[in-house]
């Protein structure tokens, strides 16, 4: 589960920051110098040199031309910027301190080659000699440095509209994980009308790696000393209208609604030369915090500072040859919307071959086929994708796994009577093979009796393999819909097997999770198992057994256990008291809430009070309880408890069109 959570966190930050780092962990280095002051002290406008005529590296033919097609005569401009770019990515489990952070910094000269035509502008951005640092777990990471260096030295090509909106991006190959150069390009993007002048304002819709925005621009006369002709202060703010992900579905059995929401901030200012349609300086600070149920889950911060040091409308023949070489190596053509979310988009090959479908297109086709495609044909597509996935790595591997997971889930929903095709292979996968976890994860996500039966069938086939059995039981426990039939079949299956003794803990935890979901519709069966566990608790031979049964009872979240759990919160053994306090987190009703509040206020042990605060964070709280938490914050002596309570209160802060629960 920890690996699965890490995967989700990294994937979130991949979309959010435009710079995903897979299978890594770390902490940040000291921050860059204040970027606002860097922008304020921008250099005076650099001089331009004479224009020369060169053989162009781009022609407007609808697709990127080959080197041999370059025959027209068009001039290039060359802009050189002093650049500082840094990115911080942090991952955390909700309600905990940050577990992983990654920091990288890039500085040096950024060269922008630009060719302006009537209906578009061609641009190549690259950094020939960058200074790069990357820190993971307070240790320099040469792998990240090498990956970033390859990108920024190679550069990125794109086509923009006359106003500056990025329309198409060209790459020599898909960037496997990091997208530093793409991020820099989009942070530099300014969409300015060609005829605008001082004291103008406008707004428009924009889209990038975080989602869809409404962008508000403001152009004002430049107040810098000795401003250049048509030089302005350009400001931009953005409001996130739609994130790149939807909210996570809730756990209906516990009445919990899991929501993944972004909190976005964007600080930006620039000096803009309207006559030459170019930046003179730029300072951008962009932050996104992703919250799950109001709790921090992941965050990303991108900071970019640019100052123009020189520009010219005359490039050398060697620079022209470089541009032509870059163009001759390009393999992939992407729309702006595909840059951060696609594994290759249209993948327009220079040979003119038909581009491959995107993952979303293939997924849509699969959904549209439905029962019109035989189960065997649909499953063959899954097997073919799985075989292809095994040869991939980095971001391409992650995207293939995501697509495969979607196809597996769709198969389980569409062909519930043919899941033996899945279970036949699932019974053969080694536990170390990716198919084992991918197939199980897909089955555990689909809320159907057929999917649960498929997992039980697999468990029965691998009963003598402890590692496989443990994973299958964990997947059963994660199934979003509990039912009596699955619970009883599982109980009978493991009750007569060696697992009942060798893996008793795993069995109990799986059954407790099933009861938690099943108890909503079948309280009789749920209460029967709660009663069994209460008897086991009272006859526990030692403290270790007591703690285990308290955990199982807490996972079930049934009111029948409240009186006994309350008794154990008063035991002299501190570990027992804290485990019982934690076990009250899912018990429904005001009794458990009131008791946790009392423990929070009166218990002499600060750790036990902290456990009570954490348990309250799992519960649906009314306005009266929230008022009590606010009062406790005022008098609380423990800063850690105070912060935890403030997190809970903040989670219930009124949002537009939302009401406080009563």
């Amino acid at each position: 589960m920890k690996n699965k959570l890490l995967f989700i966190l990294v994937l979130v930050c991949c979309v959010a920051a435009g710079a995903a780092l897979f299978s890594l962990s770390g902490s940040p280095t000291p921050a860059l110098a204040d970027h606002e002051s860097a922008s304020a002290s921008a250099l005076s406008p650099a001089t331009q040199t004479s224009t020369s005529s060169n053989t162009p590296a781009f022609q407007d033919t609808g697709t990127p031309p080959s080197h041999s097609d370059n025959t027209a005569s068009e001039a290039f401009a060359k802009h050189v910027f002093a650049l500082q770019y840094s990115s911080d990515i942090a991952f955390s489990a909700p309600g905990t301190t940050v577990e992983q952070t990654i920091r990288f910094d890039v500085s040096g000269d950024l060269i922008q080659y630009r060719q302006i035509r009537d209906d578009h502008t061609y641009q190549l951005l690259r950094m020939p000699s960058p200074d790069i640092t990357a820190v993971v777990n307070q240790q320099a990471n040469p792998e990240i440095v090498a990956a970033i260096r390859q990108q920024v030295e190679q550069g990125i090509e794109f086509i923009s509209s006359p106003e500056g909106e990025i329309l198409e991006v060209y790459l020599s190959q898909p960037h496997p994980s990091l997208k530093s150069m793409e991020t820099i390009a989009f942070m530099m993007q300014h969409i300015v009308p060609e005829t605008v002048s001082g004291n103008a304002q406008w707004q428009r819709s924009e889209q990038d790696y975080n989602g869809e925005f409404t962008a508000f621009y403001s152009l004002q006369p430049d107040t810098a000393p000795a401003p250049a002709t048509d030089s302005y202060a350009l400001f931009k703010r953005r409001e996130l209208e739609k994130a790149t992900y939807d909210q996570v579905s809730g756990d209906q059995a516990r009445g919990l609604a899991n929501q993944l929401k972004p909190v976005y901030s964007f600080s930006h200012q620039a000096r803009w030369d309207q006559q030459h349609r170019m930046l003179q300086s730029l300072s951008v600070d962009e932050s996104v915090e992703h919250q799950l149920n109001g709790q921090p889950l992941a965050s990303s911060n991108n900071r970019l500072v640019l100052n123009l040091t020189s520009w010219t409308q005359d490039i050398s023949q060697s620079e022209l040859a470089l541009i032509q070489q870059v163009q001759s190596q390009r393999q992939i053509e992407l729309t702006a919307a595909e840059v951060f979310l696609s594994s290759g988009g249209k993948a327009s090959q220079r040979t003119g071959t038909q581009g491959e479908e995107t993952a979303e297109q293939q997924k849509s086709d699969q959904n549209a086929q439905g029962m019109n495609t035989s189960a065997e044909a649909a499953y063959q597509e899954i097997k073919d994708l799985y075989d292809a996935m095994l040869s991939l790595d980095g971001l391409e591997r992650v995207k293939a796994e995501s697509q495969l997971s979607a196809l597996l889930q769709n198969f389980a929903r569409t062909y519930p009577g043919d899941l033996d095709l899945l279970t036949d292979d699932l019974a053969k996968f080694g536990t170390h093979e990716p198919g084992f976890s991918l197939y199980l994860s897909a089955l555990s996500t689909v809320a159907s009796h057929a999917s649960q039966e498929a997992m039980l069938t697999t468990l029965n086939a691998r009963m003598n393999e402890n590692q496989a059995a443990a994973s299958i039981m964990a997947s059963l426990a994660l199934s979003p819909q509990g039912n009596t039939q699955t619970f009883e079949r599982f109980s009978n299956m493991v009750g007569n097997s060696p697992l009942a003794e060798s893996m008793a803990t795993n069995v109990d935890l799986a059954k407790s999770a099933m009861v938690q979901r099943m108890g909503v519709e079948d309280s009789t069966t749920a209460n029967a198992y709660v009663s069994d566990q209460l008897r086991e608790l009272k006859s526990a031979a030692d403290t270790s057994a007591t703690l285990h049964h308290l955990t199982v009872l807490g996972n079930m979240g049934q009111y029948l256990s409240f009186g006994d759990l309350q008794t154990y919160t008063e035991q002299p053994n501190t570990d027992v008291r804290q485990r019982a306090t934690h076990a009250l987190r899912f018990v429904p009703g005001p009794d458990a809430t009131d008791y946790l509040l009392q423990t929070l206020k009166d218990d002499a042990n600060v750790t036990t009070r902290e456990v009570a605060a954490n348990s309250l964070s799992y519960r649906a709280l009314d306005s009266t309880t929230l008022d009590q938490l606010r009062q406790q914050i005022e008098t609380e002596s423990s800063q850690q408890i105070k912060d935890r309570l403030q997190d809970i209160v903040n989670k219930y802060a009124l949002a537009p069109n939302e009401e406080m629960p009563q």
Side-chain angles (χ1 to χ4, degrees):
M1 286 301 297
K2 183 178 180 181
N3 291 337
K4 186 175 182 180
L5 177 59
L6 176 59
F7 169 79
I8 294 172
L9 295 176
V10 175
L11 192 59
V12 167
C13 276
C14 164
V15 174
L21 305 166
F22 298 100
S23 303
L24 298 171
S25 61
S27 60
T29 57
L32 284 172
D34 182 8
H35 64 276
E36 295 295 342
S37 60
S39 177
S41 60
L43 299 178
S44 60
T47 59
Q48 75 177 68
T49 58
S50 61
T51 301
S52 66
S53 178
N54 293 302
T55 303
F58 180 82
Q59 286 184 326
D60 184 17
T61 60
T63 59
S66 65
H67 171 64
S68 61
D69 293 333
N70 298 325
T71 57
S73 176
E74 291 288 347
F76 277 87
K78 175 184 175 182
H79 303 176
V80 181
F81 296 91
L83 173 145
Q84 288 181 306
Y85 168 61
S86 64
S87 182
D88 292 285
I89 302 173
F91 314 120
S92 63
T96 69
T97 56
V98 171
E99 294 178 337
Q100 303 185 54
T101 59
I102 303 168
R103 165 71 178 247
F104 59 87
D105 297 88
V106 182
S107 62
D109 286 340
L110 173 73
I111 300 177
Q112 177 187 43
Y113 296 104
R114 191 173 73 172
Q115 181 189 40
I116 299 178
R117 296 179 64 89
D118 292 337
D119 55 350
H120 61 255
T121 300
Y122 165 85
Q123 296 189 48
L124 168 63
L125 299 177
R126 60 187 301 269
M127 297 183 69
S129 301
D131 292 323
I132 303 171
T133 60
V135 176
V136 176
N137 274 342
Q138 299 183 348
Q139 298 291 327
N141 190 286
E143 290 82 6
I144 298 178
V145 171
I148 297 175
R149 185 178 302 280
Q150 179 183 13
Q151 278 199 39
V152 300
E153 288 181 348
Q154 175 182 295
I156 182 172
E157 297 177 280
F158 58 90
I159 298 295
S160 61
S161 70
E163 292 78 22
E165 181 178 11
I166 295 176
L167 304 175
E168 295 179 356
V169 177
Y170 306 129
L171 303 172
S172 62
Q173 59 184 357
H175 290 163
S177 55
L178 299 168
K179 293 186 180 291
S180 302
M181 210 61 187
E182 290 96 319
T183 305
I184 290 172
F186 275 81
M187 293 179 79
M188 289 177 64
Q189 177 179 240
H190 286 76
I191 306 174
V192 182
E194 294 182 277
T195 58
V196 74
S197 58
N199 291 320
Q201 296 181 352
W202 65 95
Q203 70 181 66
R204 57 172 294 119
S205 296
E206 297 182 3
Q207 184 175 3
D208 67 11
Y209 38 84
N210 285 310
E212 299 174 6
F213 298 84
T214 299
F216 302 88
Y217 288 85
S218 174
L219 195 70
Q220 302 174 12
D222 194 352
T223 57
T229 304
D230 279 346
S231 179
Y232 299 94
L234 179 62
F235 300 90
K236 177 180 177 182
R237 67 180 179 89
R238 306 208 302 180
E239 295 180 0
L240 184 61
E241 303 294 342
K242 182 180 180 182
T244 53
Y245 51 77
D246 296 321
Q247 74 172 36
V248 179
S249 60
D251 183 343
Q252 296 179 354
R254 293 207 309 261
L256 300 178
N258 293 327
Q259 272 196 329
L260 185 61
K261 289 185 176 181
V263 178
Y264 180 82
S265 64
F266 183 82
S267 173
H268 167 284
Q269 67 180 52
R271 288 180 62 209
W272 176 259
D273 184 338
Q274 176 68 351
Q275 178 181 355
H276 300 101
R277 307 284 298 164
M278 68 182 189
L279 288 168
Q280 294 177 319
S281 68
L282 171 66
S283 172
V284 182
D285 196 329
E286 179 183 65
S287 298
V288 187
E289 181 180 71
H290 307 273
Q291 297 181 349
L292 182 63
N293 295 337
Q295 309 258 346
L297 178 70
S299 65
S300 63
N301 296 278
N302 287 310
R303 289 169 294 279
L304 176 65
V305 176
L306 292 176
N307 285 293
L308 182 69
T309 58
S310 66
W311 75 281
T312 176
Q313 288 181 288
D314 184 12
I315 67 172
S316 67
Q317 289 296 324
S318 61
E319 289 174 316
L320 179 61
L322 168 68
I323 297 171
Q324 293 172 336
Q325 179 185 10
V326 170
Q327 289 188 330
S328 69
Q329 294 173 344
R330 68 165 69 120
Q331 298 293 321
I332 297 168
E333 175 188 343
L334 300 172
T335 66
E338 291 172 321
V339 171
F340 292 89
L341 303 181
S342 171
S343 61
K346 295 178 283 187
S348 177
Q349 302 297 325
R350 295 195 58 78
T351 58
T353 58
Q354 182 66 32
E356 299 175 356
E357 290 180 303
T358 65
E360 286 300 318
Q361 288 172 323
Q362 291 184 352
K363 178 182 176 182
S364 176
D365 291 345
Q366 174 69 11
N367 288 335
Q369 287 170 357
M371 294 303 295
N372 294 325
T373 302
S374 69
E376 290 77 10
Y379 187 62
Q380 186 60 50
E381 181 181 354
I382 290 172
K383 296 182 71 171
D384 291 343
L385 177 59
Y386 179 77
D387 291 340
M389 178 202 71
L390 296 177
S391 63
L392 302 175
D393 57 19
L395 183 57
E396 305 310 309
R397 174 65 170 260
V398 171
K399 289 176 177 176
E401 288 182 351
S402 177
Q403 182 186 354
L404 183 61
S405 177
L407 290 179
L408 284 165
Q409 293 176 40
N410 185 59
F411 184 90
R413 294 186 181 99
T414 307
Y415 306 102
D418 296 283
L419 295 187
D420 56 311
L421 294 171
L422 293 183
T423 57
D424 287 347
D425 281 341
L426 191 51
K428 301 171 187 175
F429 282 127
T431 54
H432 63 284
E433 295 183 74
F436 184 74
S437 57
L438 279 169
Y439 278 48
L440 276 179
S441 177
L443 289 172
S444 69
T445 303
V446 177
S448 72
H449 180 64
S451 293
Q452 294 174 3
E453 282 291 310
M455 287 185 280
L456 288 171
T457 298
T458 306
L459 176 62
N460 192 48
R462 309 190 71 161
M463 192 74 73
N464 296 323
E465 305 174 52
N466 282 2
Q467 185 175 353
S471 297
I472 298 167
M473 285 190 283
S475 297
L476 274 166
L478 291 171
S479 185
Q481 181 179 15
N483 63 78
T484 304
Q485 185 175 353
T486 299
F487 176 79
E488 291 181 343
R489 186 184 170 197
F490 175 78
S491 300
N492 293 333
M493 183 184 296
V494 299
N496 300 319
S497 75
L499 294 178
E501 293 184 6
S502 64
M503 303 186 71
T505 298
N506 301 71
V507 170
D508 284 343
L509 292 175
K511 292 170 75 172
S512 68
M514 293 181 198
V515 166
Q516 184 189 77
R517 291 160 172 79
M518 175 185 64
V520 176
E521 298 177 356
D522 186 358
S523 59
T524 301
T525 304
N527 287 341
Y529 186 63
V530 171
S531 297
D532 289 342
Q533 283 298 311
L534 288 173
R535 285 192 293 271
E536 294 285 346
L537 172 65
K538 294 171 183 177
S539 61
D542 53 31
T543 301
S544 177
T546 298
L547 294 174
H548 166 69
H549 292 298
L550 286 171
T551 298
V552 172
L553 286 163
N555 288 347
M556 289 188 285
Q558 303 299 311
Y559 183 76
L560 181 62
S561 64
F562 171 69
D564 291 280
L565 291 177
Q566 179 181 347
T567 299
Y568 279 84
T569 63
E570 299 167 355
Q571 296 293 312
N573 184 298
T574 303
D575 291 337
V576 171
R577 287 166 49 211
Q578 292 172 3
R579 186 68 60 88
T581 302
H582 182 62
L584 289 172
R585 68 195 185 283
F586 293 144
V587 173
D591 292 343
T593 300
D594 292 344
Y595 190 80
L596 287 169
L597 279 171
Q598 200 64 40
T599 303
L600 171 66
K601 296 175 182 178
D602 298 339
D603 199 284
N605 184 285
V606 67
T607 304
T608 303
R609 294 198 304 111
E610 185 177 339
V611 172
N614 189 62
S615 295
L616 284 166
S617 71
Y618 287 89
R619 306 180 64 79
L621 306 178
D622 59 21
S623 56
T624 301
T625 303
L626 289 170
D627 286 340
Q628 294 183 61
L629 294 185
R630 293 187 185 96
Q631 295 173 14
Q632 184 66 25
I633 291 172
E634 296 297 324
T635 60
E636 179 57 56
S637 58
S638 167
Q639 186 61 46
Q640 191 163 354
I641 295 176
K642 182 179 292 190
D643 292 342
R644 192 70 186 92
L645 296 178
Q646 189 63 55
D647 287 341
I648 298 172
V649 171
N650 291 344
K651 181 176 69 173
Y652 283 89
L654 287 175
N657 301 321
E658 291 182 354
E659 296 182 356
M660 185 73 71
Q662 298 298 322

